[in-house]
Every structure is written in structure tokens, then in C-alpha cells.
Amino acid sequence: MENIKTPYKSVLTIAGSDSGGCAGIQADIKSISACGVFAASVITASTAQNTKGVFDIHPMPILHIEKQLDAVFSDINFDAIKIGMLHSCEVIELVGIKLSQYNAKNVVIDPVMIATSGDKLITDQAIDCLKKLLPKALLITPNSKEAETLIGYAINTNNAKTAAKDIGLTFKTSVLLKGGHLEDSTDDMFDVLYNYSTNKISVYRNPRINTNNTHGTGCSLSSSIAAFLSKDDDLEYAVKQACEYINVAIANGKNKILGHGNGPINHFGLK
């Protein structure tokens, strides 16, 4: 009997490396793998990082990033792309060129710009460049601070649906507005999805879990959405599946200890 070969469902993550393993490329690969999909990566920067903070960032040479992108895109047919923090206009513009050159599909951009504290993580110039990249995405996943930067007004639980739609119409893409950082949010976590192609708004609710072990949650959520999209799930269902996966991973990691700071979620339900 002839062996029938089938291709992997695969996701490419383009992001920075976290030496502590909680966020960035490492969190992406864990999430994509846990969701049953093959993960490949292009590393844009290396960080000296642990559960307590980021102590150094070393950007990859732009030519090396380009060679990474060409190497994987020219060989592997990716079913989805996840993009994390891109630290400079030069890198952002390169990624945009390669997405077009290789006809990338199901692009999910986590527009990493603003930390939970409100501190900017990239320069104003890079933020302006990133805004030009967003229309290439099927979905963007800003937290509330990043969403406020994109739309220009304060966001709370009462106007989150309006804000998600306003951002989507502005950047011509679907938007998952993450509710984890809304100061007036309730005991439930809620994320608001605006589907640009259908003009539909969906709300996903999951119980709020009291834990500091949430380092890398945003990276993990966007990469797990990409994983479910790679399986040909529609956008609403992919987001639903990913939100549920992340909520379980947070619950499984709430009482675990790693290092002396904010620990990671438990991607694989490790005991």
C-alpha cells in the first residue's frame, strides 16, 4: 500500500527572542506547538531577559533578518504568520516587503508598542511605520494601551466595542481588543473582536484568574490564533479557541513557580 504524504499545518512567527522563555519567540513556538501546528521562526532581536525584566536588547542585522525570511518563505508554505515586536522602521518595512513578495496569508500582528505600565516599547517613528504595516494583517491584537495609541482616545469597558470597530475601519483589518488591561473590567476577562470582512462584533468572556504568572500572554494568544487559523478555522472560531486555550494555560500555571518575578503561563499543562 502506497504511503500518502500530507503537509504539516505550519505557522511562521517573526519576533524577538526571550532568553527567559516566557515571551517572544519562545512563547510563540510553545503556543503554536501546543495547538497542534508546526512552528518556524525568524528572530528579529535577542534579549537578555528573565521573569524580572529585560536587561539588554541586541537587534539582529537587517541583512540577516532578510536572509532568515527568504530562507523559510522560499522553502515552506506557511498557513499563517504571527508577527510580534518589530523594533525599528527598517525591520518593519522589510517585513512588509516580504509579506507581499511571498503572498503571505492569515497574518496576525501583535502590535507591541506599549507596556502594561503605559511605557512605550518602541519609538514614535517606529509606531508610525507599524501603523502602515497593519493593513497587511488579517487580524491585529492590541491591548487597551496600544489600542488607545492607534485610535487616539481613552478606552474602557463601555466603549471597547466602538473602539475595536473604529480601529478596524481606520486600518482596514480585523481587531481583537484584549480586555486584560482595562482597569474597570469585571471579574470576567473579556476580549472584543471586530471582524472587518463581516462588520460583526463578537465578545469572548473567560473567568479572570488571580495570578502574576501571565508573562507572555499576549504573545501566546496571537500565536495560538495563528495556529487555529492555519487549520482553516474561520476568524471567530479561531479567536474563541485561542482565548479558551490561553485561559486554561493561565489556570494551569497560576500556582507554579519559575524564577523570582512574573512567571509564564503553562502552555502544555505541565505538572
Side-chain angles (χ1 to χ4, degrees), residues 7-268:
Y8 282 103
K9 292 295 184 181
S10 59
V11 172
L12 172 65
T13 169
I14 305 170
S17 170
D18 170 9
S19 55
C22 299
I25 286 283
Q26 285 80 357
D28 293 343
I29 291 174
K30 290 171 188 173
S31 300
I32 294 164
S33 301
C35 293
V37 175
F38 184 86
S41 64
V42 166
I43 298 176
T44 59
S46 172
T47 68
Q49 185 175 170
N50 58 26
T51 62
K52 295 188 289 184
V54 179
F55 302 96
D56 191 42
I57 299 175
H58 177 69
M60 291 291 153
I62 192 71
L63 183 59
H64 182 60
I65 297 174
E66 182 175 14
K67 288 184 180 297
Q68 289 183 77
L69 288 164
D70 285 333
V72 291
F73 272 127
S74 64
D75 181 47
I76 301 171
N77 180 31
F78 293 107
D79 300 289
I81 312 292
K82 178 267 167 86
I83 297 174
M85 189 172 79
L86 306 177
H87 52 274
S88 71
C89 280
E90 192 176 24
V91 175
I92 294 167
E93 289 166 359
L94 171 64
V95 169
I97 290 169
K98 295 303 177 181
L99 292 178
S100 297
Q101 179 181 341
Y102 291 101
N103 297 313
K105 60 184 177 181
N106 291 329
V107 177
V108 178
I109 297 179
D110 185 12
V112 181
M113 302 180 292
I114 313 292
T116 308
S117 62
D119 295 330
K120 287 183 178 178
L121 300 174
I122 60 176
T123 66
D124 289 339
Q125 182 184 18
I127 290 174
D128 289 340
C129 291
L130 184 60
K131 288 178 179 178
K132 296 175 184 177
L133 182 67
L134 300 185
K136 291 184 178 292
L138 171 69
L139 176 72
I140 63 173
T141 61
N143 63 35
S144 59
K145 297 298 184 183
E146 290 156 350
E148 288 173 352
T149 298
L150 293 175
I151 202 61
Y153 59 75
I155 298 174
N156 54 50
T157 53
N158 295 320
N159 68 358
K161 292 180 182 179
T162 298
K165 183 174 182 177
D166 285 349
I167 294 168
L169 294 176
T170 299
F171 295 99
K172 298 179 172 57
T173 186
S174 297
V175 178
L176 179 65
L177 175 53
K178 297 178 290 192
H181 297 147
L182 293 174
E183 294 179 357
D184 60 346
S185 54
T186 64
D187 290 338
D188 284 343
M189 293 286 293
F190 76 98
D191 303 291
V192 177
L193 172 67
Y194 170 68
N195 189 326
Y196 181 72
S197 64
T198 63
N199 199 37
K200 177 183 175 183
I201 291 178
S202 303
V203 177
Y204 303 90
R205 292 185 179 275
N206 285 286
R208 182 180 293 276
I209 298 168
N210 185 23
T211 177
N212 290 325
N213 293 339
T214 57
H215 188 184
T217 302
C219 306
S220 300
L221 177 59
S222 53
S223 54
S224 58
I225 293 171
F228 287 113
L229 287 171
S230 77
K231 298 180 180 183
D232 301 319
D233 290 346
D234 64 42
L235 183 59
E236 282 87 358
Y237 189 62
V239 171
K240 178 178 183 293
Q241 292 282 92
C243 288
E244 291 175 355
Y245 161 69
I246 293 298
N247 195 252
V248 170
I250 294 173
N252 285 337
K254 68 176 182 178
N255 295 321
K256 303 292 286 183
I257 297 174
L258 184 78
H260 298 86
N262 295 322
I265 67 175
N266 193 342
H267 294 89
F268 297 102

